[in-house]
Amino acid sequence: MAPSPPTAPRTWSRGPRTPACWPALVWGRRVKCAAKAGEILTEDDVYCSCLAKTLCHVPVPVTVGFYAPFGCRLHLMLDKITALMQQEATQREAEELQRVQCRPRSVRGWGFPQLLWYLVFLQPVITEVHLRRKNVKFLFIRFSAWQYAGTDKLWAGLVTTLCEGIRHHYGALPFSVYSVMGNKPGATPGFCQREWHCRLRVCLALLALLAALSLGVGLLYLSVGSRSLGHGGANGSLLQVVGGAATTLSGSGLLMAVYSVGKHLFVSQRKKIERLVSREKFGSQLGFMCEVKKEVELLTDFLCFLEIYQQCRLRVVLEVTGLDTCYPERVVGVLNAMNTLLSDSHAPFIFILVVDPSILAACLESAGSMKGTADNGYLFLNRTVTLPFSVPIMGRRTKLQFLHDAVQSRDDLLYREMTRKLRPPGGAGDGEGTRLLGVETRAGAERAQSRIDAEAARRIQEALFCLHDERDCLYEYVPDNVVSMRRIVNTVPITVRLLQQQQQGDFVGPSPRQAVAWVVLANQWPCRLSWVLQCLEDRQQAGGAPDARARLWDVFCDNSHELHTMTKALQNVLDLDGDPELFERFLDSDFPFTVAEAQSLLRCTVNLDHSIRRRMGLIRAVSALKPPSPPKSPAHDAPHAANGANQAPRAAVSGHFAGHTPAHAREAHHPQDWVQWGKPRPVA
């Protein structure tokens, strides 16, 4: 049956000093080039593109922390990421088709009976050919926690949504057949290239049942025929008994198999889990979570079977939204369910956790069931998330595009969307020259993007090599925690791709070694790095441009006294930082980042929680406020003013001759009582 067609480390180099606005100018140049190619490229498009490319290569299972304040254009960015991942999957499928000259099998149309045949009679085997496949298919499932916020078991809604989404996409019958007769894919014993082996036991059992059924039917026919001819007797009765027994046994075996398939067909996994949850005291039942885990393992094995059948890699992307609008106990249940789904090291799941980290951390800390386990919500979140992605501040092009869409009425937006879909590719009134020019422009843009991707892949390999190079000192700052190692390794490709997009043109930015060192810095000391960046931002907003050649360590030393006064308010955030002595050695000697380099890398930083900086900025702004002085009576002000005028010359003369400065004057001009950036520091 023919299947249907498928749809060595670099040395430290700071580089030339560049103004802070140069990356924006470079990105603006890329926007103009993209506009010529017929598309609008904003800053959000660049960030979403880099994250989508990384998710196509990242090992699974993985949990992406999509961090942003509530209502910050999250759904629009999720839609862009979904479209870009589908586009990347289509491109990789075309490249794989050119490489192997073999089309993937389909699960729809004429491929559906073939899928059922493979499910019953063939055993899949994981071979080296399958592991080297690069084409990938994505299945996107969106789970809105707000829809299940009123239920007591929010985590059950997450599991059932995942099961129902996979069941709806591939059909209920294939999964039901696999639940009854499917077998877990095995590993190849050697270098065998055969991906399918015949299931001899199933074939022999089916042949035996069919043979017994045929024999029984034949004996019954002979017994009936002998009676009709008048030759019945003991032989006819014996034939009838043996034929009835054979027919009954073989028929009951076939009916039991059909009944099991029909039971799984009408009683889905969602109904099973809901039935378990609806029982009283289900949480205290022994082995309840074990039953849920078995259902998840069955689902994972089914997806692994489909990977080998479709000759591609499958990735199930579950987008979890609205979790920061639920009660704390519900939030804890969803995170525990995610850990249950991710406990299998071969599960093809990509979780995108769309939350405000400050709200989620507060929910975890206030949950009664997490006392002693998640006293610090940020630490618990770091143990769950393996790829943090903090949504950056809205860029200039993105803001202008949003404002333009907001000015337009809804009818105008709908009309523009409809006309864009109905417009022919070349345009009705365009000439042949215009169409050829458009084709050449798009081809040139595709060639330029392919060169950028190739260079980005080379720089990613160079950056990752610096992590495990024993001649480099960078590995000494990487923690011993395996989850932190995965966070760093998963973040490096996004950071390097963003730098590659930023460095187009004459701009020479940070090297790959600097990029991976910056990722380690943001992962190990997020509080101290956020404090330095907040001080630089406050200085810039105050109207004074910071020295581009100043080191970040010097900036931290000048403002460390003020950070010490905020220890009580920032206790949970300070617990995220690693060894302070290593932080000093990192910025002072091994990786002396400057202000200019920090400003270049800040646009590419996705693993630093921006809510920490917002919290620091609010605390710093409140501490800078001065209480109003109490009103004074004019009658009392005159004598005090006269006495002050008479005593001031004597105090000044005595102080001058004594060679000392008054105490209040010393306090007023003490350099440690004032922040370097011009804000008063609270006196300890």
Side-chain angles (χ1 to χ4, degrees):
M1 186 176 299
S4 59
T7 50
R10 298 179 59 180
T11 57
W12 184 268
S13 176
R14 298 191 182 121
R17 308 299 176 198
T18 56
C21 62
W22 185 257
L25 296 177
V26 175
W27 282 31
R29 187 180 304 170
R30 286 189 50 78
V31 168
K32 293 179 180 179
C33 295
K36 293 179 181 179
E39 60 180 0
I40 299 177
L41 184 64
T42 61
E43 292 85 356
D44 283 357
D45 295 331
V46 177
Y47 285 108
C48 294
S49 176
C50 295
L51 179 59
K53 291 179 182 295
T54 302
L55 291 179
C56 292
H57 300 84
V58 70
V60 291
V62 62
T63 303
V64 182
F66 203 73
Y67 297 153
F70 180 75
C72 182
R73 69 193 191 279
L74 295 178
H75 291 282
L76 294 177
M77 295 190 71
L78 284 177
D79 294 338
K80 290 181 181 180
I81 292 172
T82 301
L84 290 171
M85 291 177 69
Q86 294 283 20
Q87 181 180 354
E88 182 71 16
T90 304
Q91 181 180 355
R92 295 178 67 175
E93 184 176 347
E95 294 174 356
E96 186 71 12
L97 180 61
Q98 293 179 357
R99 187 178 69 88
V100 300
Q101 300 294 326
C102 181
R103 294 182 179 275
R105 301 184 183 96
S106 176
V107 296
R108 304 183 185 278
W110 290 106
F112 187 77
Q114 185 182 9
L115 174 60
L116 297 180
W117 178 268
Y118 275 65
L119 283 170
V120 177
F121 296 106
L122 295 179
Q123 165 71 29
V125 178
I126 302 176
T127 61
E128 184 182 0
V129 176
H130 174 68
L131 296 177
R132 291 183 178 275
R133 288 192 175 107
K134 301 299 182 182
N135 53 332
V136 61
K137 288 182 180 295
F138 291 102
L139 172 59
F140 294 91
I141 302 173
R142 184 165 296 186
F143 172 73
S144 178
W146 180 81
Q147 298 178 0
Y148 299 86
T151 62
D152 295 334
K153 307 301 177 293
L154 181 61
W155 65 268
L158 175 67
V159 179
T160 55
T161 301
L162 177 64
C163 297
E164 197 67 20
I166 297 175
R167 179 185 175 94
H168 180 266
H169 182 77
Y170 290 105
L173 184 58
F175 184 71
S176 301
V177 173
Y178 182 83
S179 301
V180 177
M181 308 186 65
N183 201 359
K184 184 178 181 180
T188 177
F191 293 96
C192 180
Q193 302 298 325
R194 290 178 55 192
E195 291 185 333
W196 299 97
H197 294 170
C198 181
R199 301 177 64 181
L200 294 178
R201 293 183 179 179
V202 176
C203 294
L204 293 177
L206 184 60
L207 288 176
L209 289 175
L210 292 177
L213 182 61
S214 301
L215 179 61
V217 171
L219 292 176
L220 288 175
Y221 179 76
L222 290 176
S223 64
V224 173
S226 62
R227 284 187 177 183
S228 63
L229 295 175
H231 300 290
N235 294 331
S237 300
L238 181 61
L239 291 176
Q240 186 177 4
V241 171
V242 175
T247 305
T248 303
L249 292 177
S250 58
S252 61
L254 293 175
L255 288 177
M256 285 297 296
V258 175
Y259 171 76
S260 301
V261 173
K263 181 180 178 181
H264 286 83
L265 184 63
F266 293 102
V267 182
S268 62
Q269 286 183 307
R270 179 173 186 172
K271 293 182 179 179
K272 291 181 182 179
I273 297 176
E274 289 177 351
R275 187 180 302 171
L276 289 173
V277 171
S278 61
R279 294 178 183 176
E280 296 181 359
K281 300 181 180 179
F282 75 96
S284 61
Q285 292 179 1
L286 184 62
F288 170 75
M289 291 305 297
C290 182
E291 294 295 329
V292 178
K293 187 68 172 65
K294 287 181 180 179
E295 297 294 332
V296 174
E297 289 178 353
L298 180 64
L299 196 67
T300 304
D301 295 339
F302 177 65
L303 292 174
C304 186
F305 179 93
L306 289 175
E307 275 191 343
I308 303 175
Y309 175 78
Q310 292 187 279
Q311 299 176 340
C312 65
R313 313 306 296 269
L314 293 180
R315 297 291 181 264
V316 180
V317 183
L318 185 61
E319 303 169 352
V320 182
T321 61
L323 194 60
D324 42 12
T325 61
C326 302
Y327 293 110
E329 299 297 336
R330 273 72 159 175
V331 173
V332 173
V334 170
L335 293 180
N336 290 333
M338 290 175 54
N339 293 329
T340 302
L341 294 172
L342 296 174
S343 59
D344 189 0
S345 59
H346 301 288
F349 298 140
I350 299 177
F351 283 92
I352 300 181
L353 191 60
V354 185
V355 292
D356 187 345
S358 59
I359 298 178
L360 197 65
C363 290
L364 292 173
E365 293 169 2
S366 60
S369 59
M370 301 298 290
K371 293 298 181 183
T373 305
D375 294 336
N376 191 335
Y378 288 100
L379 290 176
F380 186 85
L381 200 58
N382 287 343
R383 291 195 296 266
T384 304
V385 175
T386 55
L387 177 55
F389 185 86
S390 296
V391 177
I393 301 175
M394 186 179 293
R396 182 179 62 89
R397 294 285 305 181
T398 305
K399 182 178 290 187
L400 291 176
Q401 184 65 32
F402 271 94
L403 290 174
H404 180 269
D405 293 341
V407 170
Q408 301 290 332
S409 64
R410 182 176 178 85
D411 296 336
D412 293 340
L413 291 175
L414 292 176
Y415 176 75
R416 187 176 62 183
E417 185 68 18
M418 292 172 60
T419 53
R420 185 183 64 83
K421 293 181 179 180
L422 296 176
R423 188 184 302 120
D430 295 342
E432 185 69 22
T434 306
R435 287 195 296 270
L436 291 176
L437 181 60
V439 171
E440 292 180 359
T441 305
R442 285 193 296 271
E446 292 177 358
R447 288 194 297 268
Q449 187 62 36
S450 63
R451 289 194 298 268
I452 294 173
D453 293 339
E455 179 65 19
R458 185 192 65 81
R459 293 169 70 90
I460 289 172
Q461 293 295 330
E462 181 180 348
L464 293 176
F465 178 76
C466 297
L467 279 175
H468 59 85
D469 187 9
E470 61 181 1
R471 297 171 298 175
D472 202 333
C473 63
L474 185 59
Y475 73 94
E476 300 177 2
Y477 298 99
V478 178
D480 298 336
N481 189 1
V482 179
V483 178
S484 297
M485 293 181 185
R486 289 193 61 187
R487 287 165 59 91
I488 293 173
V489 172
N490 293 336
T491 310
V492 167
I494 304 179
T495 306
V496 175
R497 288 184 185 278
L498 289 173
L499 275 175
Q500 185 67 22
Q501 297 283 347
Q502 180 177 317
Q503 292 176 4
Q504 297 301 311
D506 299 332
F507 174 69
V508 180
S511 63
R513 183 172 182 264
Q514 288 176 296
V516 69
W518 184 264
V519 171
V520 173
L521 176 63
N523 184 81
Q524 288 301 102
W525 298 281
C527 181
R528 286 171 170 81
L529 179 59
S530 299
W531 174 251
V532 174
L533 296 176
Q534 183 62 36
C535 293
L536 293 175
E537 181 181 349
D538 291 344
R539 171 59 178 167
Q540 189 174 6
Q541 291 177 354
D547 187 8
R549 294 173 297 179
R551 299 189 309 166
L552 292 186
W553 174 247
D554 297 334
V555 177
F556 178 78
C557 292
D558 295 336
N559 298 273
S560 60
H561 177 71
E562 185 179 358
L563 180 62
H564 178 70
T565 61
M566 303 178 183
T567 303
K568 186 176 180 180
L570 299 174
Q571 184 62 45
N572 290 346
V573 182
L574 282 170
D575 291 341
L576 300 176
D577 287 359
D579 193 347
E581 286 76 14
L582 288 179
F583 177 73
E584 179 180 357
R585 195 181 78 180
F586 188 94
L587 284 182
D588 191 23
S589 58
D590 291 340
F591 300 95
F593 285 104
T594 62
V595 173
E597 293 167 350
Q599 290 176 345
S600 300
L601 289 165
L602 183 58
R603 295 178 61 90
C604 309
T605 307
V606 297
N607 63 327
L608 186 63
D609 188 2
H610 298 304
S611 64
I612 300 177
R613 290 176 56 194
R614 291 194 296 269
R615 185 176 177 182
M616 289 178 174
L618 291 176
I619 296 175
R620 199 179 191 203
V622 171
S623 63
L625 297 177
K626 295 182 179 180
S629 57
K632 297 181 180 180
S633 175
H636 292 82
D637 289 344
H640 286 293
N643 294 333
N646 295 330
Q647 294 176 3
R650 290 196 299 269
V653 172
S654 61
H656 173 73
F657 285 101
H660 300 288
T661 307
H664 63 85
R666 289 199 306 270
E667 293 177 357
H669 297 284
H670 199 283
Q672 294 183 353
D673 294 337
W674 292 83
V675 184
Q676 183 188 9
W677 306 130
K679 290 189 176 182
R681 189 194 302 268
V683 180

